Amino acid sequence: MRHGAGALPVALLLLIALQLQTAAAPLVTLMGLKPQFVAALVVSLSVLSGPLAGATWGFVGGLALDLLSGVPLGVSSFALTMMGTIWGHVAAGLKSTGWLVLALAAFPALVAYDTLVALWLQGLGWPLSLGFSLVHVALPGAMLSTLPVPFNYYILRWLEERSRRFEVRSWD
Amino acid sequence: MVGLRNRSYYLALVLLGISVLSIALHQSGHLRPVEGFLLQFSTPVAEVTSLLTYRVLEVGRAFQELGSLRDENQRLRQENAELRAKVIAAQEAQIENQALREQLGFKEANPVFDTLPAQIISRDPSNLLDFLIINKGAADGVKDGMVAVSPQGLLGRVILTGSNSAKVLLVTSPSSSVSAVVQSSRAVGMVYGQQGGRLTMRYIPQGEAIAVGDVVITSGLGGAFPKGLVIGKVVKVRQSDVELFQEAEIAPPVNVGRLETLALIRNFAPARLE
């Protein structure tokens, strides 16, 4: 397990991602789709810090998304917790963390997230077409949401290195 | 390593369990007061960030528009002069119309809507549904079912009211449906929201005239929305001889993503069928 970027900086990044997604993302849509900044951050976190961090921040971020969106409370938190845990385990086997590898690893995670949310909503009786959601929302939406993943990852890694250096210095 | 793997699985199981419990409580309606309270709690943060976003965007737009401002000004002056002439003609027509209505004994149900302006402070973060959060709630007289409009037409209705904020379900949401009528031909149908902010008008009987560019308005049937609000314009008609009904794609009159304010209709009470 990696050291992690520290709870406070991650919470701040999550808050920024959440605000970007609710206030700014609807203004920069592509074919009516918004980038999923929170999901992108959770993917980056699970790749960097492993499944424990992925599950925890996935749950926190998901709950916040549920509160600010119209989906029933628990749907996004379920999908992001699941995604954070699974991708945390998958990423443990990654040999490289170059931007292309990160993007390729993030894409299926982001498709899975939107598909899980759509599945839950359909199961709860919302009139959503799963095929339409996958082809017109999950796949193009994941392409858009993959863009911030490498950027998030490098910020988190920088924060992790800083917090580790700070700890070493405080031991001296 | 095995310990960590187990720990992460246990934690994930607990968190997934809490999520499923929340969904069950939401479905049973037990979570409604809590959701209202949490909505109120998130309002101040959302208000500040939306204000900041709008300011940043305004500065960007101002820079963008600086070059074309002079041409725009000249065009607007000319348009203003033309509009003044049209307003005078319209005023005359209104007086004549009023007189005719009085002669006929015609009385409109809702001559003017009494509206409550509200600022949009947050938007649905998902790509699957379409919601807005506004900065007016029960303390300002907002109630569930109130209709939200923009100067261009219908936006949606309030589905959850906190004390200082409310959630508005947009007509473009897949869970939204509105009884509608084509303004020119009076062909009736139902307008449904689609993922990605699109609208589809279904159940238009075969043989009814409908064409690209036709304006679609609320029919007032069902009692959830007042009659005569603009829903959008027809952009595509799908007709098949083997189908019972025609379908039309409707373009909403406003890009909700760029909308900063809306108005709630105060003097229309949606019908409740119990």
Side-chain angles (χ1 to χ4, degrees), chain A residues 19 21 27 34 69 77 133, chain B residues 49 57 124 127 167 195 257:
Chain A
Q19 290 311 321
Q21 200 167 323
L27 304 163
K34 304 176 271 259
S69 75
S77 62
S133 300
Chain B
T49 48
L57 284 168
D124 189 29
N127 280 321
K167 255 183 203 180
Q195 288 117 303

Side-chain angles (χ1 to χ4, degrees), chain A residues 134-170:
Chain A
L134 185 68
V135 176
H136 292 94
V137 179
L139 285 168
M143 277 185 212
L144 200 61
S145 308
T146 299
L147 298 175
V149 171
F151 184 68
N152 285 340
Y153 179 82
Y154 292 122
I155 289 182
L156 287 166
R157 207 170 65 177
W158 177 75
L159 283 170
E160 185 199 49
E161 276 161 16
R162 262 184 74 95
S163 81
R164 193 186 286 151
R165 242 181 281 152
F166 179 75
E167 260 181 33
V168 171
R169 222 176 284 155
S170 58

Side-chain angles (χ1 to χ4, degrees), chain B residues 6 40 64 205:
Chain B
N6 283 341
Q40 181 189 333
Q64 224 174 16

Side-chain angles (χ1 to χ4, degrees), chain B residues 183-262:
Chain B
Q183 197 178 30
S184 54
S185 66
R186 311 314 286 177
V188 290
M190 289 292 288
V191 171
Y192 292 91
Q194 299 265 296
Q195 288 117 303
R198 284 166 284 199
L199 291 167
T200 307
M201 187 171 178
R202 294 184 189 143
Y203 309 119
I204 311 160
Q206 291 280 12
E208 290 281 8
I210 180 162
V212 172
D214 280 355
V215 175
V216 176
I217 58 171
T218 52
S219 71
L221 292 172
F225 298 97
K227 194 178 173 179
L229 295 173
V230 173
I231 300 173
K233 259 187 186 175
V234 175
V235 287
K236 195 176 175 184
V237 180
R238 276 189 293 268
Q239 201 175 21
S240 165
D241 292 340
V242 292
E243 298 285 338
L244 270 174
F245 300 102
Q246 304 177 72
E247 250 185 45
E249 261 178 44
I250 315 288
V254 61
N255 178 359
V256 182
R258 300 204 171 268
L259 213 61
E260 294 172 19
T261 55
L262 54 76

Side-chain angles (χ1 to χ4, degrees), chain A residues 1-146:
Chain A
M1 164 141 179
R2 306 264 315 233
H3 175 266
L8 193 67
V10 174
L12 272 173
L13 276 179
L14 189 68
L15 203 66
I16 293 169
L18 199 65
Q19 290 311 321
L20 276 175
Q21 200 167 323
T22 53
L27 304 163
V28 288
T29 54
L30 194 72
M31 295 184 308
L33 296 168
K34 304 176 271 259
Q36 301 282 313
F37 289 108
V38 175
L41 183 67
V42 172
V43 172
S44 312
L45 267 165
S46 54
V47 171
L48 181 78
S49 307
L52 267 175
T56 311
W57 290 109
F59 180 75
V60 175
L63 266 189
L65 280 179
D66 286 335
L67 283 174
L68 291 170
S69 75
V71 300
L73 195 72
V75 168
S76 302
S77 62
F78 183 95
L80 280 181
T81 306
M82 194 89 144
M83 191 188 80
T85 312
I86 294 173
W87 256 260
H89 283 295
V90 170
L94 284 180
K95 297 271 186 289
S96 148
T97 48
W99 67 270
L100 190 62
V101 176
L102 285 172
L104 286 174
F107 181 73
L110 293 161
V111 174
Y113 162 67
D114 261 340
T115 310
L116 256 179
V117 173
L119 263 171
W120 260 113
L121 291 174
Q122 204 187 34
L124 293 169
W126 291 68
L128 289 178
S129 151
L130 199 62
F132 187 94
S133 300
L134 185 68
V135 176
H136 292 94
V137 179
L139 285 168
M143 277 185 212
L144 200 61
S145 308
T146 299

